[in-house]
Amino acid sequence: MNQAPHVAIVGATGAVGVEILSCLESRNFPMASLKLLASARSAGKQIAFRGQMLTVEELTEDSFKGVDIALFSAGGSISQKFAPIAAAANCVVIDNSSAFRQDPDVPLVVPEINPEAAYNHPRNIIANPNCTTIITLMALFPLHQKFGLKTIIASSYQAVSGSGQHGITELESQVRAVVDGHPVVRNVYPHQIAFNLIPQIDSFTDTGYTKEELKMLNEGRKILSLPELKVTCTCVRVPVYRSHSISVTAQFEKPLDLDLARQAYTDKPGVALMDNPAEGIWPTPLDSTNGDTCYVGRMRKDLAIDNALSLWVVGDQVRKGAALNAVQIAELLVNK
Ligand code: A2P
């Protein structure tokens, strides 16, 4: 782009929208203007940005005139309807929903992994991958570059903020109810989340996998351009506020060397090794919360599967898993 772009955030009042604003501000993203869009409920609300108060506008079909880049984070149905409208108005959409991720004409981009894909967007839409997929691939991509990824076997431990503010409120109110000996009320999750784990995220498909798990199965293949990559995954909701964790076993094509595997993280942007079990050092979700780095630990040669490593990775799913990744994609467009 020749000039600083006119930018819009669709869903600016939501959990990810607020974090997008924070990333634009902290990264000093160059902009000619910024438009905040949300539902009619939020129209007129004031939000501070770079020392100014910006007024939230209602999202309409006319919202995208003169906008160069729109970051969408208002859910799949809003993206389905409004992303093509924005794209037709010559605006490049960076979409956080899953609506377009498997469209062959929509690139699925993690800037540390496949930045070049962002430049080929024939529909004027670029998709941001699923949060758990992004964090898992941040851990596996440096290893893939050295050893060639063949199979991923994963279990995720996903924080309640992945369900938006309602998930956080549900955990908080249920913890209080249990501690105070009151009945637990459920609104968001199919079972109590306080002091419990729920091995279901999103609805089940006829494969027996949930939709969330199928995203993990399918999105890595597209991002890594590995159509034969084998992935299996169980996604679990855990009573953690923020940051997803993933336990991963990965099998590789080339012979593995644990020291080389550790060195693969040296000077890699966005991911770091935090791994010294003898000293009690390995990452927990709190280590990545509100930060931009994904941390990898518990790395070891897998004893059950040939030529495989097992590891643990944590990442802030609202930042690298959503807002930050979207802003990094916008940076790719601006810096081209
Ligand atoms: P609003 O705050 O006005 O409801 P979250 O994922 O945290 O629930 O946030 C969802 C975001 O999507 C919010 O900014 C929300 O705005 C926005 N949103 C929801 N429904 C619509 C809609 N019909 N039109 C525009 N924005 C919407």
Side-chain angles (χ1 to χ4, degrees):
M1 275 181 188
N2 295 330
Q3 293 165 343
H6 296 273
V7 176
I9 303 175
V10 178
T13 52
V16 173
V18 165
E19 209 65 51
I20 288 174
L21 275 163
S22 155
C23 289
L24 291 172
E25 189 154 358
S26 65
R27 297 172 75 87
N28 213 9
F29 185 88
M31 279 182 289
S33 67
L34 178 61
K35 200 180 231 190
L36 305 183
L37 299 165
S39 77
R41 294 178 292 274
S42 302
K45 197 176 162 188
Q46 300 270 304
I47 295 183
F49 182 74
R50 287 184 186 159
Q52 282 185 333
M53 295 309 283
L54 301 182
T55 305
V56 177
E57 297 172 41
E58 182 184 354
L59 171 67
T60 69
E61 298 190 3
D62 295 326
S63 295
F64 302 98
K65 283 183 188 140
V67 175
D68 301 304
I69 298 175
L71 298 135
F72 272 61
S73 198
S77 56
I78 296 290
S79 294
Q80 289 274 13
K81 179 172 176 193
F82 286 95
I85 292 171
N90 274 332
C91 170
V92 181
V93 171
I94 301 170
D95 183 35
N96 257 302
S97 83
S98 58
F100 303 99
R101 288 183 190 148
Q102 293 306 323
D103 184 324
D105 289 327
V106 173
L108 188 60
V109 178
V110 181
E112 292 86 346
I113 299 177
N114 61 339
E116 67 294 337
Y119 303 124
N120 182 18
H121 46 80
R123 287 192 65 184
N124 260 2
I125 301 173
I126 302 171
N128 216 31
N130 165 260
C131 48
T132 310
T133 306
I134 294 178
I135 296 163
T136 304
L137 293 188
M138 287 298 289
L140 292 180
F141 184 62
L143 302 173
H144 168 61
Q145 287 179 300
K146 283 209 184 303
F147 306 114
L149 196 54
K150 200 166 143 187
T151 308
I152 302 173
I153 303 165
S155 294
S156 72
Y157 301 69
Q158 300 186 213
V160 292
S161 48
S163 317
Q165 186 55 41
H166 300 302
I168 297 174
T169 307
E170 178 128 322
L171 173 58
E172 257 170 17
S173 61
Q174 289 186 355
V175 166
R176 281 210 186 88
V178 172
V179 169
D180 295 343
H182 295 145
V184 162
V185 178
R186 287 188 286 108
N187 292 309
V188 177
Y189 298 115
H191 294 272
Q192 177 182 322
I193 183 67
F195 307 103
N196 203 9
L197 303 172
I198 302 176
Q200 179 193 348
I201 298 181
D202 210 333
S203 50
F204 283 99
T205 68
D206 56 14
T207 60
Y209 286 84
T210 61
K211 285 186 182 167
E212 182 82 354
E213 288 159 355
L214 290 185
K215 289 174 193 170
M216 273 285 278
L217 265 60
N218 294 324
E219 293 181 19
R221 295 191 189 112
K222 181 166 175 179
I223 296 161
L224 296 168
S225 300
L226 289 177
E228 305 301 322
L229 180 68
K230 288 198 175 114
V231 186
T232 186
C233 181
T234 301
C235 290
V236 183
R237 187 71 70 193
V238 298
V240 164
Y241 275 147
R242 186 144 157 172
S243 273
H244 290 353
S245 309
I246 304 102
S247 165
V248 188
T249 298
Q251 189 181 36
F252 297 92
E253 302 280 356
K254 294 187 196 152
L256 261 182
D257 177 298
L258 197 54
D259 289 333
L260 270 183
R262 290 176 182 283
Q263 285 165 25
Y265 294 95
T266 310
D267 297 329
K268 282 283 183 300
V271 61
L273 205 57
M274 187 175 174
D275 196 22
N276 188 351
E279 303 282 330
I281 294 171
W282 20 255
T284 72
L286 285 179
D287 292 311
S288 53
T289 293
N290 294 321
D292 292 345
T293 305
C294 298
Y295 293 102
V296 177
R298 297 293 324 277
M299 187 186 280
R300 60 212 186 267
K301 263 196 167 178
D302 193 90
L303 295 179
I305 296 176
D306 287 342
N307 215 37
L309 283 175
S310 286
L311 58 82
W312 171 256
V313 57
V314 301
D316 187 320
Q317 89 286 359
V318 190
R319 286 186 79 92
K320 183 56 192 165
L324 171 64
N325 200 73
V327 170
Q328 288 176 300
I329 294 172
E331 287 172 348
L332 290 174
L333 301 178
V334 167
N335 294 334
K336 196 182 175 203

